[in-house]
Amino acid sequence: MHVSTRAALLAATLVWATSASAQTYTLEEAVRTAVANSPQGEATAARLDGLNAARSAADTNPAPTIDGTVENIGTPGFSQWQIDGTYNQRLERGGKRAARVGLAQGDIAVAEAEALVRRLDLASEVQALYVEAQAAALSLELARSRVEIAETLANEVQRRVDEARDPLFAGTRARTQLAEARVDLGLAEHAFEAALARLALLTGGDPRSIGVVTSGFLEAEEIAITTADLTPVDLAVFQARRERADANYRLQEANSRTDPTVFAGPRLFGNGDVAVIAGFSLPLPNRALNRANIDRAAAEQRQVEADLAVERFQRRRQIALAAERVEEARHEAEAIQEQVVPGAEQTLREVRAGYNRGGFTFLDVSIAQTALHEARVRFVDALAEYHQAKVDYDRLTGRFIELVGGY
């Protein structure tokens, strides 16, 4: 990068990295702070508490029942009555209890994996807002540089007007351009404040006292086009869903076996005799219903596998497209940096030198000044496009997995 352009842009790094050092975030710090401040943690904890309670409920035996009956109440004499009291217990067969626990555990695993994905999505959102704030900071610095150049030029033009070397309208035009530059500076200041405010909504704190580091923004590094698969976090969601589908299949198989109920208790007769009764009952299986439930569980297994295959296919394509966007923006930024900006800077220096010698008009200087500013703005825009494309690429490849507490 040309020395003057780098100096103009790096000035923003010093300003925004030291204006409020206690709350100046690097990207990683902003992500970590946003995850810590997010209510997602409480929501996930509440969901997991409910699922753990459901797991505890699944890990219990069927509750027993007590039945009582009175029979043979009538005439004559009401002496033939009998009272039965029985204790009934259903005996589960086929591993139903373990299957229920496995299904509940599968729900817990799905919830945990989805919570990790939400944190990774939050990190991606923070990264996008952080890049927006970085770009706004550099755009603000370019607006300040434009005002400084316009002020210098306005002074030069006014001096020449005072010396009757330039017409009056040249001074008016120079002052108008200076006013336009100051208006754009005000807009750039507002845009930067708004970008910080949006970032503060996720990281917390006062948006007027936070800062971002822009030094890395000026570097556009080459990335390798990859055909990477799902990230461990995204893959964990499908793995958890697969395990849950397997657990549900085992539960439906276990439910196809009927459970006997055993009972026993005393029988009291109206003449004072006492007896003991015992027995069992076994419901008849509904084979059609059991088969349908098993088939549905098997279809859910196949659906999870199909969804995983679709997601892998789409993810590979998305990663390739995101990488191409990153590289396209990088090439544009490098081309502007190496070919456009230096030429615009040299042109402005030469035109201003010629203007001071009387060889060029104010219009020539104005055009050269505008061309330099537009080249620098285009360079920052290309860098912003590069880093915004990196947001998608980093999310797809799992850059912040470890930072958000993933795998």
Side-chain angles (χ1 to χ4, degrees):
M1 185 183 300
H2 197 274
V3 175
S4 59
T5 300
R6 176 174 289 276
L9 296 180
L10 283 181
T13 302
L14 299 177
V15 171
W16 309 125
T18 60
S19 60
S21 58
Q23 285 188 296
T24 298
Y25 296 118
T26 64
L27 173 58
E28 290 72 17
E29 290 170 344
V31 170
R32 190 181 297 109
T33 303
V35 171
N37 291 338
S38 172
Q40 289 182 4
E42 295 180 2
T44 299
R47 182 183 180 187
L48 290 177
D49 287 344
L51 292 175
N52 280 310
R55 183 191 182 283
S56 298
D59 193 18
T60 59
N61 289 319
T65 62
I66 296 178
D67 294 339
T69 60
V70 180
E71 300 178 0
N72 299 332
I73 299 177
T75 58
F78 297 96
S79 61
Q80 301 301 316
W81 58 264
Q82 61 184 40
I83 300 176
D84 296 342
T86 57
Y87 179 90
N88 309 272
Q89 178 65 60
R90 181 162 60 91
L91 305 178
E92 287 188 320
R93 299 191 304 165
K96 292 183 178 66
R97 180 177 178 180
R100 286 197 307 271
V101 172
L103 182 60
Q105 191 63 46
D107 289 333
I108 293 174
V110 170
E112 291 174 339
E114 290 177 346
L116 288 177
V117 170
R118 286 193 295 271
R119 291 201 294 272
L120 204 59
D121 291 339
L122 175 60
S124 182
E125 184 177 355
V126 173
Q127 184 182 5
L129 292 177
Y130 194 91
V131 168
E132 181 182 354
Q134 287 179 311
L138 295 180
S139 296
L140 175 56
E141 197 60 30
L142 287 182
R144 287 175 172 169
S145 176
R146 181 187 179 191
V147 169
E148 292 174 358
I149 294 175
E151 287 176 344
T152 301
L153 182 59
N155 291 333
E156 293 177 358
V157 173
Q158 188 60 46
R159 176 179 56 80
R160 290 173 61 90
V161 170
D162 293 341
E163 296 174 355
R165 298 170 61 188
D166 277 346
L168 290 175
F169 75 84
T172 303
R173 178 176 294 178
R175 289 191 296 273
T176 301
Q177 288 188 344
L178 176 58
E180 291 176 349
R182 286 172 174 166
V183 169
D184 290 341
L185 175 59
L187 295 175
E189 289 174 344
H190 175 74
F192 179 65
E193 292 172 358
L196 288 182
R198 287 188 288 271
L199 181 62
L201 290 175
L202 295 182
T203 58
D206 186 354
R208 294 170 297 181
S209 62
I210 68 173
V212 294
V213 179
T214 59
S215 56
F217 190 87
L218 300 178
E219 305 299 332
E221 299 179 354
E222 183 178 1
I223 63 171
I225 303 296
T226 178
T227 57
D229 206 339
L230 296 178
T231 68
V233 168
D234 294 306
L235 186 60
V237 174
F238 289 92
Q239 289 175 338
R241 291 174 182 172
R242 176 194 295 165
E243 292 173 0
R244 186 196 180 282
D246 293 342
N248 184 47
Y249 183 85
R250 290 191 295 269
L251 177 60
Q252 299 308 321
E253 282 190 324
N255 286 338
S256 66
R257 298 193 62 182
T258 56
D259 299 330
T261 299
V262 297
F263 61 90
R267 171 172 290 178
L268 303 179
F269 293 93
N271 59 10
D273 293 338
V274 178
V276 175
I277 60 174
F280 74 94
S281 65
L282 183 65
L284 297 177
N286 187 336
R287 290 186 173 83
L289 178 60
N290 294 335
R291 186 69 262 169
N293 289 334
I294 292 175
D295 289 344
R296 184 178 62 180
E300 290 177 357
Q301 289 178 312
R302 295 193 300 272
Q303 181 180 352
V304 171
E305 294 294 336
D307 289 343
L308 176 58
V310 170
E311 187 68 18
R312 279 177 169 162
F313 173 79
Q314 293 180 342
R315 182 57 59 91
R316 292 191 184 101
R317 181 175 59 86
Q318 291 170 350
I319 290 176
L321 292 176
E324 289 178 1
R325 281 186 55 208
V326 172
E327 284 300 290
E328 181 179 357
R330 184 183 68 83
H331 285 307
E332 180 182 1
E334 286 185 350
I336 297 172
Q337 169 189 340
E338 297 173 358
Q339 302 174 28
V340 179
V341 174
E345 291 174 341
Q346 181 66 22
T347 299
L348 179 60
R349 286 194 298 270
E350 293 175 351
V351 170
R352 288 181 65 178
Y355 175 73
N356 291 332
R357 295 192 301 268
F360 293 101
T361 66
F362 168 76
L363 180 60
D364 297 322
V365 178
S366 176
I367 292 175
Q369 175 186 335
T370 301
L372 174 58
H373 178 71
E374 290 178 350
R376 288 176 171 175
V377 169
R378 185 181 175 188
F379 175 60
V380 172
D381 289 343
L383 287 175
E385 176 63 25
Y386 167 83
H387 288 287
Q388 287 293 348
K390 279 276 281 146
V391 172
D392 294 334
Y393 182 81
D394 290 343
R395 170 60 184 91
L396 292 169
T397 55
R399 173 182 174 182
F400 297 108
I401 286 179
E402 295 183 0
L403 194 62
V404 301
Y407 293 79

